[in-house]
Amino acid sequence: MSSVHESLTRRRRAEMRFRAYGLAAIALAVGMLVLLLATIGVQAAGAFSHHKLQVSVEWTDNASGPTPPVATLVSRLNTIVREDLETVFPKAMQDRRSQVELHDTVSRLALLPVANRLSRDPPTSGSLFAFDVALSDDIDLFLKGSPKLTSTVWTDGVDSIEQTVGDSVELIYEDGGLLALQREGESNEPTLLLQMGGVVIRVASITDSVVSGKVLVGEVSAIDDQDRSGAIVHRVAAPELQRNVSDQQIAWMLVLQDAGRIKRTFNADFFTNADSTYPELAGVLAAIMGSVFMMLVTAAVALPIGMAAALYLEEFAPHNRLTRMIEVNINNLAAVPSIVFGLLGAALLINFLNMPRSAPVVGGLVLGLMTLPTIILAARAALRAVPQTVRDAALGLGASKSRAVFDHVLPLAAPGILTGAIIGLARALGETAPLLLIGMVAFVAEVPDGPNDEATALPVLIYKWSNGAERAWEPATAAAIVVLLAFMVLMNAAAVLLRRRIDRTRL
Amino acid sequence: MSDQPSVSPKVSCKGVDVFYGDQQVIHNVSMDIADRAVTAFIGPSGCGKSTFLRCINRMNDTIEGARVEGLVEIDGENVNAQGIDPVTIRSRVGMVFQKPNPFPKSIYDNVAYGPRIHGLVRDQMDLDEIVERSLVRAGLWDEVSDRLDSPGTSLSSGQQQRLCIARAIAVGPEIILMDEPCSALDPIATARIEALIDDLRQRFCIVVITHSMQQAARVSQTTAFFHDGRLIEHGETEMIFTNPADTRTQDYITGRFG
Ligand SMILES: Nc1ncnc2c1ncn2[C@@H]1O[C@H](COP(=O)(O)OP(=O)(O)O)[C@@H](O)[C@H]1O
Ligand SMILES: [Mg+2]
């Protein structure tokens, strides 16, 4: 009696332990997943929005005739934007270098969509034409917080400002007490910018009562008494040489931001643009379309063939040496590395059958071949799971073999087949290696119209972007990953809905 | 073996052998089965009752590796003859299985499936009528007439088995084969099926495999005892149960083995 009791507690403890292991395993898996999604999500968040400069001009239609070509409009808009910036920051015109820096804050290509809009729907001459133009990727990154900018309000009023040579100034604080400011500026030689009203001064050195520096934006004479009563101290985390935005550019942006000229907008271009060599203009639409066409071809190849093969092998084929050999080989085929299918596609479809390179139809065929064994295996498992009694019932009523299969077995197996097919297709959707071999890595700047057009696919795009040199490719890559994941979630959701639908109609 | 029925038999088997691959499981069985009567097959598990039953509607065709030799005739027509489609045989010979196996469809669709595939109906009215008639004959109509759309699998197992009988009747068979139709049912459901079998005897030739001696005694007029793939004894049920000729039959029905 007591020994039974002892063994019972022991068994119960073992069970508890086992349950704990299981829970730990699940917690670990879920934790990893959350971590993965969170990092990608945080990274990607940057790419889904973009900072734009708001510009408005009085539109003068100098050529009253047909609207000029888009290229001309881009040039014209470019001039407008540049002149606008130069009016706000006239000092930038003093030397060539800062002029170029100023122009570099916006990207010229970002004017293309504006020009397109303009040519479709030209404003009447004399009316106000307002538009947004994307800031360059480095400026955008800076505005999104990289490198980090910390701004604090300095409430000591300056007593006098002396302009020494050119733009050099000395700010004199008679009460002293600037050491705190100095300390702040010492670590790692970051840039300190003092902003007073519309004037931005880069700090060069600080003593207890004197700040000397250089005026980057504005005129000292424009600083009024109210501006003198305090200052905003901006500290940029990295020294100028280690970042892609200059102190001068940062100073401009601070002023433009104060003037409310910069806004952060949802980056719709990311979803409507094709690939570009400029990260601020690059979008995923072409890759999405490429992937869609490819998946259509893959499904069109793999689903019917896979299902027919599974049906034949499972329901009709005799069980002999030949079918056993075929079975074994299908299993082997499912384990073949995907890159081998890419080689096959390159050799057979492109070199031998002369199909177009970089086309979704070729990618779809290759991925279809790759997915075929997976679908066959899943479909066979689903068919095998249908109880024999169902077949017996139908056959016993005098249904022919194929009627029994199509009326009863297939509908019962459909959810399983569907799940297997979706898993196979989802794997194909994320496949990169075989596509590299059939040339789908080529740079394609246009959205494909059909499966025969040159295209790229989402995973390949991610691969390419992740190799991009500019830092702005990083969030773009993460955002493309999010799009790919969303795509997969969508496919799985479709599968779940279809399953439900089938289950409902079947009762 | 023993006395032949005076009228011509519905099913007539002569020298039937069945093999699964190389293994012979039915040895030279000859038997006549009378129309409008219930014949019970009894015998220990694995003796070949089901296998022999499947010879009558060619269900052994669906089992890979099964091979039937010898003559099986329905109304004098060889069911294994060349050019005979097993589908036509099975439309004449209905089958009810051990485990109730309604399709995962509505009650109506379960019964309507057979008539539909055999093209027995011209329109919906015909079909409705067949479905109702079959359910009435299977003694299920009163219980399900108001929920023909609900799934057949939602019924109790006794009702499911009667649904399977209705489904078989709907095709208009001449023979109904039942392979242990009550072994998965409780006593009340069993009693209902037995009553139903007794009722159906008026119209059909029925063969029932059973492991219950009482059931065989209650529902059948003729009993066949199988042992080790051989037909040991075949005759009037009363004779078999009161005065068996073979000691193995005696041992089996008195519960000494099996
Ligand atoms: N599909 C099959 N393949 C091979 N052997 C089978 C198969 N079905 C039945 N058998 C064998 O045939 C013999 C008779 O089986 P069965 O007709 O099911 O017996 P019973 O219905 O009397 O219990 C048994 O020995 C069984 O193992
Ligand atoms: Mg049996």
Side-chain angles (χ1 to χ4, degrees):
Chain A
M1 185 64 198
S2 74
S3 79
V4 167
H5 190 76
E6 242 168 57
S7 95
L8 211 60
T9 40
R10 203 170 51 240
R11 271 183 285 169
R12 204 169 292 149
R13 217 174 298 133
E15 195 168 307
M16 293 289 277
R17 220 178 310 129
F18 184 73
R19 222 183 275 178
Y21 292 154
L23 277 176
I26 289 175
L28 197 70
V30 170
M32 295 287 198
L33 191 68
V34 167
L35 194 69
L36 177 83
L37 291 181
T39 25
I40 293 175
V42 167
Q43 282 238 9
F48 288 125
S49 64
H50 202 96
H51 285 89
K52 290 189 171 174
L53 178 69
Q54 293 175 301
V55 183
S56 64
V57 287
E58 192 180 312
W59 188 254
T60 46
D61 220 349
N62 37 15
S64 61
T67 36
V70 170
T72 318
L73 284 174
V74 169
S75 304
R76 239 178 106 186
L77 287 168
N78 197 34
T79 316
I80 289 172
V81 172
R82 287 182 172 186
E83 277 170 1
D84 184 46
L85 285 172
E86 283 159 9
T87 336
V88 183
F89 306 114
K91 265 205 287 187
M93 300 297 287
Q94 281 165 8
D95 67 303
R96 182 80 194 120
R97 200 173 136 251
S98 62
Q99 199 182 351
V100 170
E101 271 189 9
L102 182 62
H103 293 165
D104 276 353
T105 56
V106 294
S107 77
R108 185 171 196 266
L109 279 166
L111 289 165
L112 195 60
V114 184
N116 279 329
R117 178 155 63 91
L118 201 58
S119 77
R120 271 199 310 272
D121 176 25
T124 51
S125 190
S127 68
L128 207 62
F129 179 59
F131 60 94
D132 298 337
V133 54
L135 291 162
S136 80
D137 54 342
D138 288 326
I139 299 288
D140 181 55
L141 273 184
F142 164 70
L143 293 171
K144 282 169 184 163
S146 159
K148 196 161 176 263
L149 181 80
T150 349
S151 306
T152 45
V153 178
W154 187 255
T155 48
D156 277 6
V158 65
D159 295 303
S160 61
I161 302 177
E162 282 174 23
Q163 196 146 8
T164 51
V165 200
D167 288 331
S168 299
V169 286
E170 289 192 343
L171 311 180
I172 296 155
Y173 292 80
E174 279 161 10
D175 298 345
L178 288 180
L179 286 173
L181 187 63
Q182 188 182 18
R183 224 181 3 262
E184 231 188 313
E186 252 168 10
S187 61
N188 201 19
E189 298 178 67
T191 302
L192 270 188
L193 298 174
L194 278 184
Q195 188 180 2
M196 292 171 155
V199 179
V200 179
I201 298 163
R202 176 173 55 198
V203 176
S205 68
I206 303 173
T207 66
D208 192 40
S209 57
V210 179
V211 172
S212 52
K214 182 171 178 266
V215 178
L216 295 181
V217 180
E219 296 296 337
V220 175
S221 53
I223 301 177
D224 58 23
D225 286 347
Q226 202 201 331
D227 295 337
R228 278 163 189 264
S229 64
I232 303 172
V233 182
H234 301 284
R235 196 154 58 94
V236 190
E240 188 169 24
L241 282 176
Q242 290 175 21
R243 48 182 146 88
N244 296 327
V245 275
S246 66
D247 292 343
Q248 180 67 68
Q249 285 175 321
I250 291 176
W252 288 326
M253 289 309 126
L254 291 173
V255 173
L256 284 175
Q257 256 181 331
D258 269 5
R261 294 279 307 272
I262 294 176
K263 66 171 183 183
R264 189 172 186 164
T265 55
F266 174 68
N267 190 6
D269 295 348
F270 185 75
F271 296 97
T272 55
N273 283 9
D275 197 6
S276 161
T277 43
Y278 299 86
E280 69 267 34
L281 293 180
V284 289
L285 182 63
I288 288 181
M289 290 319 289
S291 276
V292 166
F293 286 131
M294 217 164 59
M295 279 303 106
L296 289 180
V297 175
T298 303
V301 171
L303 274 182
I305 299 182
M307 276 181 45
L311 267 178
Y312 178 73
L313 283 175
E314 202 54 44
E315 301 291 333
F316 298 99
H319 289 265
N320 54 29
R321 271 265 272 295
L322 183 67
T323 49
R324 261 200 303 282
M325 215 167 75
I326 291 175
E327 257 167 56
V328 169
N329 280 312
I330 288 173
N331 292 348
N332 288 340
L333 224 51
V336 168
S338 57
I339 197 156
V340 177
F341 286 97
L343 276 173
L344 176 82
L348 187 74
L349 300 176
I350 294 179
N351 290 341
F352 187 67
L353 292 177
N354 283 324
M355 295 179 90
R357 279 180 74 80
S358 318
V361 62
V362 177
L365 284 173
V366 167
L367 293 182
L369 279 182
M370 191 196 81
T371 316
L372 201 52
T374 317
I375 292 185
I376 295 178
L377 288 178
R380 291 192 62 182
L383 288 170
R384 214 170 307 146
V386 174
Q388 184 61 32
T389 56
V390 172
R391 295 182 185 83
D392 284 344
L395 294 174
L397 282 174
S400 64
K401 182 95 196 191
S402 50
R403 276 216 81 137
V405 168
F406 286 105
D407 287 353
H408 299 289
V409 179
L410 203 53
L412 284 173
I417 295 178
L418 202 69
T419 309
I422 295 284
I423 289 173
L425 288 181
R427 197 189 130 203
L429 177 66
E431 201 56 70
T432 322
L435 301 184
L436 300 183
L437 288 175
I438 56 163
M440 289 198 75
V441 73
F443 177 76
V444 181
E446 261 160 53
V447 178
D449 288 328
N452 278 317
D453 285 3
E454 278 210 329
T456 188
L458 274 171
V460 181
L461 191 76
I462 291 168
Y463 166 75
K464 272 196 321 191
W465 284 5
S466 69
N467 286 333
E470 283 101 330
R471 285 204 35 228
W473 287 117
E474 247 171 63
T477 308
I481 291 175
V482 168
V483 171
L484 181 64
L485 290 179
F487 217 124
M488 295 204 174
V489 168
L490 217 69
M491 272 171 76
N492 280 315
V496 169
L497 283 181
L498 267 171
R499 268 187 91 129
R500 285 242 188 90
R501 187 77 171 272
I502 291 172
D503 279 345
R504 190 140 16 96
T505 51
R506 217 186 54 213
L507 285 169
Chain B
M1 303 256 134
S2 55
D3 56 328
Q4 291 280 323
S6 47
V7 283
S8 70
K10 186 72 184 170
V11 182
S12 166
C13 307
K14 290 190 187 74
V16 174
D17 296 321
V18 183
F19 303 82
Y20 289 121
D22 298 333
Q23 188 200 0
Q24 184 167 6
V25 297
I26 295 290
H27 300 265
N28 191 26
V29 171
S30 301
M31 179 198 303
D32 286 341
I33 299 170
D35 202 2
R36 287 165 212 275
V38 178
T39 302
F41 287 3
I42 58 171
S45 278
C47 69
K49 306 180 294 292
S50 301
T51 304
F52 182 68
L53 191 74
R54 285 197 295 265
C55 294
I56 299 171
N57 65 344
R58 287 191 58 176
M59 277 297 272
N60 280 324
D61 290 18
T62 67
I63 295 172
E64 197 167 347
R67 184 160 51 87
V68 179
E69 283 174 9
L71 190 66
V72 179
E73 288 177 338
I74 297 176
D75 289 335
E77 191 186 340
N78 182 2
V79 302
N80 293 314
Q82 271 200 339
I84 297 253
D85 191 343
V87 164
T88 57
I89 300 295
R90 290 180 205 144
S91 71
R92 295 173 65 189
V93 187
M95 192 160 193
V96 177
F97 298 83
Q98 180 170 354
K99 203 167 154 276
N101 58 352
F103 298 124
K105 295 179 187 300
S106 71
I107 293 172
Y108 185 95
D109 285 338
N110 260 283
V111 183
Y113 184 68
R116 275 194 188 127
I117 59 170
H118 290 296
L120 301 182
V121 288
R122 271 164 301 141
D123 51 31
Q124 190 62 37
M125 287 240 300
D126 270 6
L127 193 58
D128 288 348
E129 196 200 310
I130 290 190
V131 169
E132 178 171 350
R133 180 155 27 94
S134 307
L135 284 169
V136 167
R137 286 221 182 117
L140 195 60
W141 178 251
D142 293 339
E143 288 153 72
V144 300
S145 59
D146 55 342
R147 50 175 174 138
L148 292 175
D149 288 336
S150 48
T153 44
S154 68
L155 299 172
S156 76
S157 50
Q159 288 173 323
Q160 285 187 22
Q161 196 62 300
R162 277 181 280 145
L163 178 62
C164 291
I165 293 173
R167 183 176 68 184
I169 293 173
V171 185
E174 301 148 36
I175 304 165
I176 301 176
L177 309 176
M178 301 187 183
D179 192 344
E180 301 183 36
C182 301
S183 62
L185 305 183
D186 64 73
I188 294 173
T190 301
R192 294 209 57 162
I193 301 274
E194 283 179 11
L196 177 59
I197 292 173
D198 202 48
D199 199 35
L200 293 174
R201 168 164 71 93
Q202 317 296 330
R203 299 169 174 278
F204 302 98
C205 163
I206 297 175
V207 183
V208 180
I209 296 178
T210 177
H211 274 289
S212 153
M213 297 308 112
Q214 292 89 335
Q215 186 170 72
R218 279 194 301 265
V219 300
S220 72
Q221 288 75 53
T222 313
T223 297
F225 172 66
F226 289 81
H227 188 252
D228 243 358
R230 289 181 173 78
L231 178 63
I232 305 300
E233 209 169 334
H234 178 216
E236 267 177 49
T237 299
E238 226 176 273
M239 283 292 293
I240 298 271
F241 277 92
T242 53
N243 191 12
D246 198 288
T247 52
R248 286 168 295 185
T249 318
Q250 171 106 46
D251 289 348
Y252 181 73
I253 59 179
T254 54
R256 225 162 291 170
F257 71 86

